[in-house]
Structures are given as C-alpha cells and as structure tokens.
Amino acid sequence: SPVTVRLPYRKGTQGRDLVVAAASHKQKGIFFFLLCTERGDLLKVELTWSPDDGLVSELVALYFDTIAGPARALCVMRTGFLFVASEVGDH
C-alpha cells in the first residue's frame, strides 16, 4: 500500500499550500527532502526505507523554518549549508 504523510500548515489556513521548490540530501544513513511552500515555510520530509528491497516504510514531515518569501530553488550543500534562491531580497 502507498505510504503518505500530511504536510504541516499554519494555523488559520486550510492547509492547501503549494510546494514551489524542493531539494534532496543524501549521506550515509541520512536521506531527506526540504520543501518550500508558497508562503515561505520550509518543511523537512524524512523517509525510512529498506536498501534491500527499496521500499519506503515511513514518511515524517516536520516544520523546519520560515524564509522571507517563496523560493525559486533550494540547494543543500555537502557541508550542511542551505542556499535559497528567493523571489524577494538579496541573494
């Protein structure tokens, strides 16, 4: 059966934010996605999977941070830094 997760949303909203940018990060034992919503909220989605059969067994979505506006692109560097190409502000 498919594995699903409900994304966190702000209080007072309907929970219908669009994801406008995403980045993935993979290291030994660590695999996650960062998602940016149209309101500038960053969400971290972790997944648990079995390398033997490649099946995902669990998804966990957590609120990570809020940036000034929606992102055009996200990039997680190997050193752990996050670059956000935003639609507002200086790069």
Side-chain angles (χ1 to χ4, degrees), residues 10-87:
R10 293 183 187 186
K11 286 185 179 180
T13 64
Q14 297 294 324
R16 301 283 183 206
D17 289 339
L18 294 176
V19 174
V20 295
S24 64
H25 184 71
K26 182 179 178 183
Q27 283 182 334
K28 287 190 292 186
I30 301 172
F31 186 65
F32 65 88
F33 295 94
L34 283 179
L35 309 177
C36 183
T37 67
E38 60 189 338
R39 293 193 173 127
D41 293 331
L42 293 175
L43 308 173
K44 182 179 179 181
V45 178
E46 300 172 343
L47 65 112
T48 306
W49 64 289
S50 171
D52 299 331
D53 56 7
L55 295 177
V56 175
S57 60
E58 181 183 25
L59 286 173
V60 177
L62 303 168
Y63 169 80
F64 186 73
D65 201 358
T66 299
I67 57 176
R72 299 290 277 167
L74 299 172
C75 180
V76 180
M77 315 264 181
R78 288 184 185 172
T79 56
F81 290 102
L82 172 65
F83 173 75
V84 178
S86 181
E87 292 184 4

